[in-house]
Amino acid sequence: MKIVKFAVAILFTAGMIGQAAAEPGGMYQRSNGDKVKVSVSGGRLYCKIVSGSQPGFEMCHGMTNAGGSVWKGANMKHPSMPGMMTFNGTVTFSGGGLTIKGCAVGESMCDSESWTRI
């Protein structure tokens, strides 16, 4: 009986860890050193630079979950582009980080970055 309880406890703990790892919210670091706060509010994903090149700059605004660990939206911005420009974007969470991809002119001009969870 003790073995069964121990096995159930291990499975429950593993499930909880898996759920925590899947949560997108938290602090991430861009390759240029910027720290970005990623949060979900009202079922939508937001990414805001909190320290580094442009504190307060919101890179992704109101992205929706496209299934699993993928979020998509049309209101993505990049700090090196004019503020009026927005891009179609995709944020994909995996392991200890995420990949953020923005595209202009359909899917013909795209760029992506990988961020590390900190």
Side-chain angles (χ1 to χ4, degrees):
M1 189 66 163
K2 286 183 182 181
I3 293 173
V4 172
K5 286 182 181 179
F6 180 72
V8 169
I10 288 174
L11 291 172
F12 178 76
T13 303
M16 294 298 286
I17 291 169
Q19 286 177 347
E23 289 297 316
M27 294 296 292
Y28 292 81
Q29 186 165 343
R30 297 178 64 209
S31 59
N32 70 353
D34 287 353
K35 289 185 173 62
V36 182
K37 179 181 179 185
V38 176
S39 60
V40 177
S41 178
R44 297 191 176 268
L45 184 79
Y46 298 89
C47 312
K48 186 182 281 190
I49 297 173
V50 294
S51 69
S53 64
Q54 292 185 17
F57 186 88
E58 195 163 43
M59 293 183 69
C60 42
H61 180 81
M63 301 179 87
T64 57
N65 188 271
S69 61
V70 178
W71 296 73
K72 293 187 176 200
N75 292 321
M76 184 175 284
K77 294 186 175 189
H78 194 279
S80 66
M81 302 301 287
M84 65 193 169
M85 292 184 74
T86 59
F87 304 93
N88 294 320
T90 304
V91 177
T92 306
F93 294 89
S94 63
L98 63 84
T99 300
I100 185 168
K101 177 181 174 183
C103 297
V105 191
E107 293 285 322
S108 64
M109 296 173 34
C110 299
D111 196 12
S112 65
E113 297 180 357
S114 292
W115 301 353
T116 305
R117 185 184 284 263
I118 53 174

XYZ file of all heavy atoms in Angstrom:
850
model
N 0.808 -1.189 0.000
C 0.000 0.000 0.000
C 0.856 1.261 0.000
O 0.519 2.231 -0.652
C -0.936 -0.040 1.221
C -1.955 1.045 1.191
S -3.064 0.788 -0.193
C -4.378 1.804 0.232
N 1.976 1.217 0.738
C 2.871 2.367 0.777
C 3.434 2.658 -0.607
O 3.592 3.809 -0.978
C 4.010 2.134 1.770
C 3.587 2.224 3.203
C 4.776 2.053 4.115
C 4.349 2.086 5.569
N 5.481 1.948 6.463
N 3.730 1.598 -1.372
C 4.283 1.777 -2.721
C 3.264 2.468 -3.622
O 3.606 3.366 -4.385
C 4.725 0.421 -3.317
C 5.917 -0.120 -2.519
C 5.081 0.554 -4.787
C 6.343 -1.511 -2.898
N 2.009 2.085 -3.515
C 0.957 2.697 -4.329
C 0.826 4.183 -3.986
O 0.767 5.035 -4.881
C -0.387 1.965 -4.144
C -1.509 2.725 -4.827
C -0.298 0.546 -4.662
N 0.802 4.518 -2.694
C 0.703 5.921 -2.277
C 1.909 6.714 -2.767
O 1.781 7.843 -3.224
C 0.591 6.022 -0.754
C -0.754 5.607 -0.217
C -0.794 5.773 1.291
C -2.141 5.338 1.852
N -2.189 5.469 3.313
N 3.088 6.124 -2.690
C 4.310 6.780 -3.138
C 4.243 7.032 -4.640
O 4.568 8.127 -5.121
C 5.535 5.921 -2.778
C 6.836 6.529 -3.197
C 7.337 7.639 -2.529
C 7.555 6.001 -4.244
C 8.540 8.217 -2.900
C 8.758 6.572 -4.632
C 9.252 7.677 -3.965
N 3.794 6.047 -5.408
C 3.683 6.189 -6.865
C 2.674 7.277 -7.227
O 2.919 8.089 -8.120
C 3.287 4.856 -7.502
N 1.547 7.312 -6.542
C 0.531 8.343 -6.794
C 1.111 9.723 -6.474
O 0.903 10.680 -7.224
C -0.750 8.064 -5.975
C -1.697 9.252 -6.017
C -1.439 6.809 -6.489
N 1.852 9.846 -5.388
C 2.453 11.128 -5.015
C 3.441 11.596 -6.080
O 3.471 12.776 -6.439
C 3.144 11.011 -3.661
N 4.235 10.681 -6.607
C 5.204 11.037 -7.646
C 4.484 11.495 -8.907
O 4.833 12.516 -9.502
C 6.148 9.856 -7.952
C 7.116 9.658 -6.786
C 6.911 10.084 -9.251
C 7.999 8.457 -6.909
N 3.452 10.785 -9.334
C 2.704 11.173 -10.528
C 2.028 12.529 -10.348
O 2.022 13.360 -11.255
C 1.667 10.100 -10.882
C 2.238 8.775 -11.381
C 1.127 7.747 -11.517
C 2.958 8.971 -12.703
N 1.457 12.764 -9.179
C 0.814 14.043 -8.907
C 1.829 15.175 -8.969
O 1.593 16.213 -9.588
C 0.137 14.010 -7.532
C -0.517 15.302 -7.164
C -1.730 15.662 -7.730
C 0.092 16.166 -6.266
C -2.334 16.862 -7.388
C -0.500 17.368 -5.932
C -1.715 17.719 -6.495
N 2.996 14.999 -8.340
C 4.036 16.015 -8.345
C 4.539 16.271 -9.752
O 4.713 17.413 -10.161
C 5.205 15.594 -7.425
O 4.684 15.375 -6.116
C 6.277 16.654 -7.383
N 4.757 15.230 -10.537
C 5.220 15.391 -11.914
C 4.195 16.164 -12.730
O 4.544 17.026 -13.534
C 5.489 14.025 -12.545
N 2.932 15.898 -12.517
C 1.876 16.625 -13.210
C 1.872 18.097 -12.852
O 1.709 18.958 -13.704
N 2.074 18.409 -11.589
C 2.105 19.800 -11.141
C 3.310 20.521 -11.730
O 3.215 21.662 -12.152
C 2.150 19.872 -9.613
C 0.899 19.349 -8.928
S -0.562 20.292 -9.357
C -0.244 21.769 -8.418
N 4.457 19.869 -11.793
C 5.646 20.475 -12.378
C 5.415 20.731 -13.859
O 5.752 21.782 -14.388
C 6.893 19.590 -12.142
C 7.256 19.600 -10.657
C 8.069 20.057 -12.985
C 8.294 18.575 -10.258
N 4.818 19.787 -14.549
C 4.533 19.954 -15.977
C 3.602 21.125 -16.224
O 3.799 21.901 -17.144
N 2.596 21.304 -15.367
C 1.688 22.429 -15.516
C 2.405 23.741 -15.264
O 2.201 24.710 -15.978
C 0.512 22.293 -14.555
C -0.475 21.240 -14.968
C -1.598 21.091 -13.946
O -1.525 21.589 -12.826
N -2.632 20.399 -14.349
N 3.263 23.795 -14.281
C 3.982 25.034 -13.986
C 4.908 25.398 -15.135
O 5.033 26.558 -15.489
C 4.787 24.876 -12.686
N 5.567 24.412 -15.743
C 6.477 24.689 -16.843
C 5.729 25.207 -18.056
O 6.270 25.952 -18.863
C 7.258 23.432 -17.196
N 4.459 24.821 -18.214
C 3.679 25.231 -19.370
C 3.152 26.657 -19.226
O 2.733 27.257 -20.198
C 2.521 24.268 -19.584
N 3.152 27.204 -18.013
C 2.661 28.559 -17.808
C 3.595 29.562 -18.487
O 4.785 29.575 -18.222
C 2.573 28.868 -16.313
C 1.467 28.145 -15.603
C 0.088 28.536 -16.107
O -0.173 29.730 -16.312
O -0.723 27.620 -16.308
N 3.074 30.425 -19.359
C 3.934 31.355 -20.090
C 4.393 32.557 -19.272
O 5.408 33.153 -19.584
C 3.052 31.812 -21.250
C 1.661 31.601 -20.793
C 1.703 30.440 -19.843
N 3.656 32.939 -18.233
C 4.002 34.134 -17.483
C 5.337 34.031 -16.785
O 5.786 32.960 -16.406
N 6.003 35.170 -16.647
C 7.274 35.221 -15.945
C 8.219 36.218 -16.583
O 7.856 36.982 -17.468
N 9.449 36.201 -16.097
C 10.482 37.100 -16.622
C 11.366 36.349 -17.603
O 11.759 35.204 -17.357
C 11.334 37.643 -15.475
C 10.578 38.543 -14.520
S 9.980 40.064 -15.281
C 11.525 40.880 -15.598
N 11.688 37.015 -18.699
C 12.529 36.446 -19.744
C 13.607 37.451 -20.107
O 13.453 38.656 -19.896
C 11.694 36.130 -20.995
C 10.720 34.994 -20.778
C 9.504 35.205 -20.155
C 11.031 33.700 -21.192
C 8.609 34.170 -19.948
C 10.146 32.666 -20.987
C 8.933 32.904 -20.366
O 8.066 31.874 -20.164
N 14.706 36.947 -20.671
C 15.791 37.818 -21.095
C 16.030 37.648 -22.584
O 16.151 36.521 -23.078
C 17.075 37.516 -20.328
C 18.183 38.497 -20.649
C 19.309 38.434 -19.644
O 19.160 37.901 -18.553
N 20.430 39.002 -20.006
N 16.061 38.785 -23.290
C 16.385 38.791 -24.719
C 17.895 38.654 -24.877
O 18.654 38.887 -23.947
C 15.919 40.097 -25.360
C 14.421 40.298 -25.301
C 14.002 41.632 -25.906
N 14.333 41.661 -27.330
C 14.624 42.779 -27.990
N 14.658 43.944 -27.379
N 14.899 42.721 -29.276
N 18.355 38.341 -26.078
C 19.783 38.175 -26.323
C 20.557 39.476 -26.139
O 21.755 39.454 -25.855
C 20.028 37.609 -27.728
O 19.477 38.482 -28.702
N 19.890 40.637 -26.258
C 20.571 41.915 -26.050
C 20.634 42.318 -24.575
O 21.127 43.383 -24.235
C 19.903 43.021 -26.866
C 18.534 43.410 -26.355
O 17.988 42.779 -25.457
N 17.964 44.448 -26.932
N 20.080 41.485 -23.694
C 20.111 41.751 -22.254
C 18.828 42.339 -21.694
O 18.669 42.409 -20.473
N 17.919 42.807 -22.556
C 16.636 43.318 -22.065
C 15.934 42.258 -21.226
O 15.951 41.077 -21.574
C 15.691 43.669 -23.221
C 16.062 44.929 -23.969
O 16.989 45.642 -23.542
O 15.407 45.196 -25.000
N 15.295 42.707 -20.161
C 14.447 41.819 -19.363
C 13.001 42.151 -19.719
O 12.606 43.318 -19.754
C 14.723 42.008 -17.881
C 16.088 41.452 -17.496
C 16.325 41.533 -16.014
C 17.579 40.841 -15.593
N 18.811 41.345 -16.133
N 12.216 41.104 -20.002
C 10.852 41.264 -20.473
C 9.902 40.512 -19.552
O 10.119 39.343 -19.242
C 10.702 40.720 -21.919
C 9.292 40.917 -22.431
C 11.723 41.364 -22.852
N 8.841 41.199 -19.120
C 7.803 40.560 -18.319
C 6.738 40.043 -19.278
O 6.154 40.805 -20.045
C 7.177 41.538 -17.334
C 6.084 40.897 -16.497
C 5.456 41.886 -15.538
C 4.366 41.189 -14.745
N 3.657 42.138 -13.886
N 6.494 38.733 -19.223
C 5.460 38.099 -20.027
C 4.321 37.746 -19.083
O 4.540 37.147 -18.034
C 6.003 36.839 -20.739
C 4.903 36.121 -21.493
C 7.151 37.212 -21.679
N 3.111 38.153 -19.462
C 1.961 37.886 -18.599
C 0.739 37.545 -19.439
O 0.664 37.875 -20.617
C 1.667 39.102 -17.716
O 1.379 40.234 -18.511
N -0.197 36.868 -18.781
C -1.484 36.558 -19.399
C -2.545 37.267 -18.579
O -2.610 37.121 -17.364
C -1.749 35.038 -19.434
C -3.125 34.750 -20.002
C -0.674 34.323 -20.232
N -3.352 38.055 -19.254
C -4.431 38.783 -18.597
C -5.669 38.691 -19.471
O -5.603 38.982 -20.670
C -4.029 40.246 -18.394
O -5.077 40.974 -17.811
N -6.772 38.250 -18.885
C -8.000 38.099 -19.648
C -7.870 37.114 -20.801
O -8.504 37.278 -21.836
N -6.999 36.114 -20.614
C -6.800 35.105 -21.646
C -5.933 35.565 -22.809
O -5.831 34.878 -23.826
N -5.285 36.719 -22.664
C -4.426 37.252 -23.724
C -2.997 37.432 -23.208
O -2.791 37.704 -22.030
C -4.974 38.566 -24.245
C -6.349 38.391 -24.890
C -6.767 39.637 -25.627
N -8.034 39.440 -26.308
C -8.157 39.019 -27.564
N -7.096 38.758 -28.272
N -9.352 38.887 -28.108
N -2.031 37.300 -24.124
C -0.612 37.352 -23.785
C -0.046 38.744 -24.049
O -0.319 39.343 -25.085
C 0.151 36.322 -24.625
C 1.631 36.176 -24.318
C 1.817 35.318 -23.067
C 2.360 35.552 -25.486
N 0.772 39.216 -23.087
C 1.420 40.520 -23.195
C 2.906 40.362 -22.863
O 3.266 39.575 -21.994
C 0.781 41.513 -22.213
C -0.684 41.738 -22.502
C -1.659 40.919 -21.927
C -1.081 42.746 -23.359
C -3.004 41.118 -22.206
C -2.429 42.946 -23.638
C -3.382 42.125 -23.062
O -4.710 42.312 -23.344
N 3.768 41.127 -23.544
C 5.217 41.098 -23.306
C 5.710 42.535 -23.218
O 5.641 43.271 -24.209
C 5.952 40.404 -24.454
S 5.281 38.831 -24.976
N 6.218 42.938 -22.051
C 6.667 44.317 -21.862
C 8.102 44.339 -21.349
O 8.442 43.652 -20.384
C 5.762 45.023 -20.861
C 6.076 46.510 -20.709
C 5.200 47.181 -19.682
C 3.862 47.473 -20.274
N 3.029 48.325 -19.411
N 8.940 45.153 -21.993
C 10.328 45.331 -21.554
C 10.297 46.077 -20.222
O 9.698 47.146 -20.119
C 11.162 46.110 -22.592
C 11.238 45.322 -23.913
C 12.562 46.399 -22.054
C 11.907 46.075 -25.056
N 10.939 45.496 -19.194
C 10.964 46.142 -17.880
C 12.323 46.760 -17.564
O 12.409 47.667 -16.742
C 10.531 45.174 -16.747
C 9.074 44.796 -16.905
C 11.406 43.946 -16.697
N 13.381 46.281 -18.210
C 14.696 46.917 -18.058
C 15.529 46.622 -19.291
O 15.368 45.599 -19.939
C 15.415 46.421 -16.799
O 15.797 45.070 -16.935
N 16.379 47.586 -19.615
C 17.218 47.428 -20.798
C 17.029 48.583 -21.761
O 16.931 49.737 -21.346
N 16.912 48.270 -23.046
C 16.919 49.282 -24.098
C 15.764 50.277 -24.032
O 15.971 51.471 -24.211
C 16.940 48.609 -25.472
O 15.748 47.851 -25.677
N 14.548 49.805 -23.801
C 13.375 50.692 -23.790
C 12.355 50.233 -22.745
O 11.329 49.648 -23.092
C 12.715 50.722 -25.162
C 13.541 51.394 -26.226
C 12.770 51.508 -27.543
O 11.557 51.377 -27.592
N 13.492 51.771 -28.600
N 12.629 50.484 -21.466
C 11.675 50.063 -20.436
C 10.274 50.607 -20.719
O 10.110 51.754 -21.126
C 12.248 50.658 -19.150
C 13.701 50.856 -19.437
C 13.785 51.179 -20.904
N 9.273 49.749 -20.530
C 7.896 50.133 -20.762
C 7.394 49.817 -22.165
O 6.197 49.884 -22.423
N 8.296 49.472 -23.080
C 7.896 49.160 -24.458
C 7.201 47.808 -24.489
O 7.727 46.815 -23.991
C 9.124 49.135 -25.379
C 8.785 48.974 -26.828
C 8.530 50.082 -27.617
C 8.710 47.717 -27.405
C 8.214 49.941 -28.961
C 8.395 47.559 -28.736
C 8.145 48.671 -29.528
N 6.011 47.771 -25.073
C 5.243 46.530 -25.148
C 5.464 45.875 -26.509
O 5.080 46.422 -27.538
C 3.764 46.813 -24.913
C 2.984 45.575 -24.624
C 1.643 45.893 -23.993
O 0.973 46.826 -24.443
O 1.283 45.186 -23.041
N 6.095 44.700 -26.494
C 6.427 44.007 -27.733
C 5.261 43.182 -28.279
O 5.065 43.118 -29.481
C 7.664 43.127 -27.551
C 8.913 43.949 -27.298
S 10.418 42.968 -27.168
C 10.628 42.399 -28.850
N 4.529 42.503 -27.414
C 3.353 41.766 -27.884
C 2.170 42.191 -27.027
O 2.275 42.312 -25.818
C 3.551 40.257 -27.896
S 4.387 39.527 -26.499
N 1.056 42.431 -27.703
C -0.085 43.021 -27.037
C -1.354 42.247 -27.375
O -1.823 42.278 -28.511
C -0.246 44.478 -27.478
C -1.405 45.166 -26.833
N -1.331 45.683 -25.560
C -2.656 45.395 -27.270
C -2.498 46.216 -25.255
N -3.327 46.058 -26.272
N -1.869 41.509 -26.401
C -3.155 40.848 -26.570
C -3.163 39.662 -27.512
O -4.153 39.415 -28.200
N -2.082 38.896 -27.524
C -2.035 37.709 -28.383
C -2.954 36.627 -27.816
O -3.131 36.532 -26.608
C -0.601 37.207 -28.502
C 0.334 38.267 -29.078
S 2.032 37.712 -29.190
C 1.964 36.929 -30.786
N -3.539 35.834 -28.697
C -4.454 34.780 -28.259
C -3.813 33.409 -28.401
O -2.948 33.202 -29.255
C -5.774 34.815 -29.066
O -5.476 34.688 -30.456
C -6.521 36.108 -28.829
N -4.251 32.496 -27.558
C -3.700 31.143 -27.581
C -4.204 30.417 -28.821
O -5.408 30.354 -29.075
C -4.083 30.380 -26.315
C -3.369 29.058 -26.224
O -3.851 28.059 -26.725
N -2.223 29.067 -25.595
N -3.254 29.900 -29.598
C -3.585 29.182 -30.833
C -3.571 27.683 -30.611
O -3.676 26.910 -31.559
C -2.594 29.563 -31.937
N -3.413 27.274 -29.357
C -3.371 25.859 -29.012
C -2.059 25.496 -28.361
O -0.990 25.857 -28.860
N -2.136 24.837 -27.231
C -0.929 24.400 -26.525
C -0.054 25.564 -26.107
O -0.501 26.494 -25.445
N 1.190 25.544 -26.524
C 2.161 26.550 -26.104
C 2.381 27.637 -27.147
O 3.371 28.353 -27.097
C 3.487 25.853 -25.782
O 3.977 25.208 -26.942
N 1.458 27.778 -28.106
C 1.600 28.749 -29.192
C 0.563 29.866 -29.040
O -0.624 29.604 -28.849
C 1.442 28.068 -30.573
C 1.549 29.083 -31.696
C 2.477 26.968 -30.747
N 1.038 31.102 -29.133
C 0.182 32.289 -29.058
C 0.395 33.105 -30.325
O 1.530 33.233 -30.800
C 0.545 33.125 -27.839
C 0.297 32.427 -26.542
C 1.031 31.391 -26.004
C -0.766 32.669 -25.629
N 0.481 30.993 -24.816
C -0.613 31.761 -24.555
C -1.819 33.573 -25.595
C -1.485 31.739 -23.478
C -2.684 33.554 -24.525
C -2.513 32.643 -23.478
N -0.689 33.681 -30.873
C -0.591 34.459 -32.113
C -1.352 35.767 -31.978
O -2.309 35.863 -31.226
C -1.141 33.664 -33.294
C -0.303 32.454 -33.637
C -0.772 31.784 -34.907
C 0.187 30.646 -35.242
N 0.113 30.249 -36.617
N -0.918 36.747 -32.770
C -1.602 38.030 -32.779
C -1.039 38.958 -33.829
O 0.028 38.717 -34.399
N -1.762 40.042 -34.076
C -1.369 40.996 -35.120
C -0.827 42.303 -34.543
O -0.514 43.209 -35.295
C -2.568 41.280 -36.021
N -0.710 42.408 -33.240
C -0.269 43.664 -32.624
C 1.126 43.564 -32.021
O 1.382 44.114 -30.958
C -1.266 44.106 -31.553
C -2.583 44.517 -32.157
O -2.618 45.137 -33.210
N -3.667 44.148 -31.519
N 2.040 42.888 -32.695
C 3.400 42.763 -32.202
C 4.224 43.955 -32.696
O 4.043 44.412 -33.821
C 4.017 41.459 -32.686
C 5.404 41.213 -32.128
S 6.020 39.600 -32.615
C 5.083 38.581 -31.500
N 5.094 44.455 -31.826
C 5.981 45.565 -32.185
C 7.417 45.181 -31.852
O 7.660 44.288 -31.048
C 5.592 46.822 -31.413
C 4.233 47.365 -31.795
C 3.968 48.677 -31.097
C 2.661 49.255 -31.594
N 2.472 50.615 -31.120
N 8.353 45.888 -32.480
C 9.777 45.668 -32.199
C 10.389 47.007 -31.804
O 10.114 48.023 -32.442
C 10.496 45.087 -33.423
C 11.838 44.555 -33.093
N 12.940 45.361 -32.967
C 12.253 43.297 -32.820
C 13.987 44.623 -32.653
N 13.601 43.366 -32.550
N 11.221 47.031 -30.760
C 11.767 48.298 -30.268
C 12.602 49.066 -31.293
O 12.730 50.281 -31.184
C 12.630 47.905 -29.071
C 12.449 46.466 -28.850
C 11.634 45.895 -29.951
N 13.159 48.405 -32.294
C 13.991 49.121 -33.263
C 13.198 49.622 -34.469
O 13.757 50.247 -35.353
C 15.145 48.229 -33.736
O 14.646 47.136 -34.474
N 11.889 49.370 -34.488
C 11.041 49.803 -35.604
C 10.178 50.986 -35.149
O 9.928 51.146 -33.964
C 10.147 48.652 -36.071
C 10.909 47.406 -36.511
S 12.046 47.697 -37.872
C 10.925 47.882 -39.220
N 9.700 51.795 -36.110
C 8.807 52.907 -35.731
C 7.592 52.399 -34.961
O 7.055 51.330 -35.265
C 8.387 53.487 -37.085
C 9.459 53.058 -38.046
C 9.951 51.735 -37.543
N 7.149 53.155 -33.964
C 6.065 52.752 -33.080
C 4.752 52.462 -33.768
O 3.935 51.715 -33.262
N 4.538 53.053 -34.954
C 3.268 52.837 -35.656
C 3.216 51.484 -36.360
O 2.148 51.023 -36.737
C 3.048 53.948 -36.681
C 4.069 53.936 -37.792
S 3.979 55.440 -38.731
C 5.476 55.270 -39.686
N 4.373 50.840 -36.531
C 4.411 49.557 -37.244
C 4.030 48.404 -36.319
O 4.534 48.310 -35.208
C 5.806 49.293 -37.815
C 6.197 50.229 -38.928
S 7.800 49.794 -39.628
C 7.356 48.341 -40.558
N 3.138 47.557 -36.795
C 2.812 46.326 -36.072
C 3.034 45.150 -37.004
O 3.048 45.295 -38.230
C 1.352 46.326 -35.573
O 0.479 46.453 -36.688
C 1.119 47.432 -34.572
N 3.236 43.987 -36.407
C 3.550 42.781 -37.151
C 2.630 41.646 -36.729
O 2.118 41.638 -35.617
C 5.006 42.355 -36.887
C 5.999 43.436 -37.197
C 6.436 44.302 -36.207
C 6.479 43.602 -38.480
C 7.337 45.304 -36.490
C 7.389 44.603 -38.778
C 7.826 45.461 -37.783
N 2.463 40.683 -37.611
C 1.818 39.427 -37.239
C 2.854 38.637 -36.469
O 3.985 38.498 -36.922
C 1.377 38.648 -38.481
C 0.294 39.376 -39.242
O -0.598 39.951 -38.655
N 0.370 39.351 -40.557
N 2.495 38.147 -35.316
C 3.483 37.483 -34.490
C 3.043 36.150 -33.949
O 1.848 35.846 -33.864
N 4.049 35.371 -33.594
C 3.846 34.072 -32.965
C 4.834 33.953 -31.814
O 6.017 34.242 -31.976
C 4.096 32.921 -33.966
O 3.257 33.100 -35.099
C 3.824 31.573 -33.332
N 4.336 33.537 -30.662
C 5.189 33.253 -29.503
C 4.984 31.788 -29.161
O 3.857 31.336 -28.965
C 4.826 34.140 -28.293
C 5.672 33.768 -27.086
C 4.997 35.614 -28.635
N 6.095 31.046 -29.123
C 6.048 29.621 -28.828
C 6.895 29.344 -27.591
O 8.085 29.669 -27.573
C 6.570 28.788 -30.022
O 5.839 29.151 -31.191
C 6.420 27.305 -29.753
N 6.277 28.774 -26.560
C 6.962 28.456 -25.311
C 7.450 27.018 -25.345
O 6.717 26.123 -25.771
C 6.015 28.641 -24.127
C 5.620 30.075 -23.930
C 4.512 30.594 -24.578
C 6.365 30.895 -23.113
C 4.149 31.922 -24.410
C 6.014 32.229 -22.942
C 4.906 32.738 -23.597
N 8.701 26.817 -24.906
C 9.222 25.456 -24.798
C 10.379 25.453 -23.814
O 11.158 26.402 -23.771
C 9.683 24.928 -26.161
O 10.749 25.705 -26.653
N 10.464 24.381 -23.049
C 11.557 24.240 -22.089
C 11.691 25.449 -21.191
O 10.735 25.883 -20.577
N 12.876 26.031 -21.150
C 13.152 27.170 -20.284
C 13.097 28.500 -20.998
O 13.771 29.439 -20.601
N 12.313 28.595 -22.069
C 12.266 29.861 -22.772
C 11.146 29.933 -23.784
O 10.167 29.188 -23.715
N 11.331 30.852 -24.719
C 10.333 31.037 -25.758
C 11.016 31.506 -27.032
O 12.146 31.982 -27.009
C 9.258 32.048 -25.325
C 9.677 33.491 -25.058
C 9.747 34.333 -26.336
C 8.698 34.139 -24.115
N 10.306 31.355 -28.134
C 10.730 31.912 -29.412
C 9.635 32.869 -29.845
O 8.460 32.516 -29.840
C 10.923 30.820 -30.481
O 11.919 29.913 -30.028
C 11.368 31.429 -31.801
N 10.029 34.077 -30.191
C 9.086 35.094 -30.636
C 9.422 35.413 -32.089
O 10.582 35.618 -32.436
C 9.138 36.337 -29.714
C 8.073 37.363 -30.107
C 10.518 36.947 -29.667
C 7.881 38.468 -29.074
N 8.396 35.415 -32.938
C 8.591 35.616 -34.375
C 7.599 36.659 -34.860
O 6.413 36.583 -34.546
C 8.363 34.293 -35.113
C 8.473 34.381 -36.615
C 8.203 33.011 -37.235
C 8.166 33.060 -38.736
N 7.843 31.753 -39.318
N 8.099 37.641 -35.597
C 7.248 38.666 -36.173
C 7.409 38.685 -37.678
O 8.516 38.521 -38.186
N 6.292 38.874 -38.385
C 6.314 38.872 -39.848
C 5.585 40.091 -40.393
O 4.553 40.498 -39.868
C 5.644 37.620 -40.400
S 6.472 36.081 -39.958
N 6.119 40.653 -41.474
C 5.476 41.745 -42.194
C 5.218 41.269 -43.617
O 5.849 40.317 -44.088
C 6.377 42.971 -42.202
N 4.319 41.922 -44.294
C 3.966 41.589 -45.676
C 3.641 40.094 -45.770
O 4.344 39.318 -46.409
C 5.081 41.991 -46.667
C 4.581 41.877 -48.105
C 5.606 43.390 -46.399
N 2.595 39.721 -45.052
C 2.231 38.303 -45.005
C 3.282 37.542 -44.240
O 3.645 37.893 -43.137
N 3.813 36.514 -44.831
C 4.892 35.727 -44.215
C 6.188 35.892 -45.004
O 7.112 35.101 -44.867
C 4.500 34.243 -44.171
C 3.342 33.927 -43.240
C 3.743 33.946 -41.779
O 4.853 33.499 -41.432
O 2.928 34.415 -40.969
N 6.282 36.950 -45.823
C 7.455 37.090 -46.694
C 8.667 37.701 -46.000
O 9.793 37.466 -46.415
C 7.104 37.899 -47.938
O 6.749 39.213 -47.584
N 8.455 38.498 -44.968
C 9.561 39.121 -44.245
C 9.389 38.834 -42.754
O 8.545 39.442 -42.096
C 9.573 40.629 -44.494
C 9.839 40.992 -45.929
S 9.661 42.766 -46.328
C 10.181 43.611 -44.888
N 10.177 37.903 -42.239
C 10.043 37.487 -40.835
C 11.391 37.550 -40.126
O 12.444 37.414 -40.756
C 9.511 36.051 -40.746
S 7.887 35.806 -41.475
N 11.329 37.722 -38.822
C 12.510 37.659 -37.975
C 12.085 37.047 -36.649
O 10.926 37.167 -36.241
C 13.089 39.055 -37.756
C 14.514 39.019 -37.221
O 15.143 37.935 -37.237
O 15.008 40.070 -36.772
N 13.009 36.377 -35.988
C 12.664 35.749 -34.712
C 13.811 35.885 -33.726
O 14.948 36.139 -34.099
C 12.313 34.270 -34.923
O 13.432 33.558 -35.375
N 13.467 35.732 -32.455
C 14.417 35.755 -31.349
C 14.053 34.645 -30.384
O 12.888 34.278 -30.274
C 14.326 37.058 -30.546
C 14.646 38.306 -31.237
C 14.510 39.543 -30.315
O 14.105 39.410 -29.134
O 14.813 40.613 -30.802
N 15.049 34.179 -29.670
C 14.803 33.225 -28.576
C 15.108 33.938 -27.279
O 16.127 34.625 -27.159
C 15.697 31.999 -28.726
O 15.318 31.263 -29.853
N 14.207 33.810 -26.305
C 14.374 34.404 -24.991
C 14.515 33.296 -23.954
O 13.906 32.232 -24.079
C 13.174 35.268 -24.619
C 12.865 36.410 -25.527
C 13.602 36.863 -26.588
C 11.735 37.268 -25.450
N 12.994 37.929 -27.183
C 11.834 38.204 -26.494
C 10.644 37.335 -24.604
C 10.889 39.203 -26.711
C 9.696 38.325 -24.814
C 9.824 39.256 -25.849
N 15.279 33.578 -22.916
C 15.496 32.626 -21.835
C 14.710 33.045 -20.606
O 14.734 34.221 -20.229
C 17.006 32.563 -21.486
O 17.743 32.268 -22.671
C 17.271 31.502 -20.440
N 14.022 32.088 -19.983
C 13.308 32.397 -18.726
C 14.341 32.646 -17.640
O 15.308 31.910 -17.498
C 12.408 31.230 -18.331
C 11.535 31.537 -17.104
C 10.732 30.337 -16.666
N 9.605 30.070 -17.513
C 8.345 30.468 -17.265
N 8.090 31.165 -16.173
N 7.370 30.167 -18.071
N 14.114 33.695 -16.855
C 15.045 34.016 -15.754
C 14.299 34.022 -14.437
O 13.097 34.044 -14.389
C 15.775 35.358 -15.970
C 14.779 36.493 -16.250
C 16.743 35.229 -17.120
C 15.412 37.858 -16.323
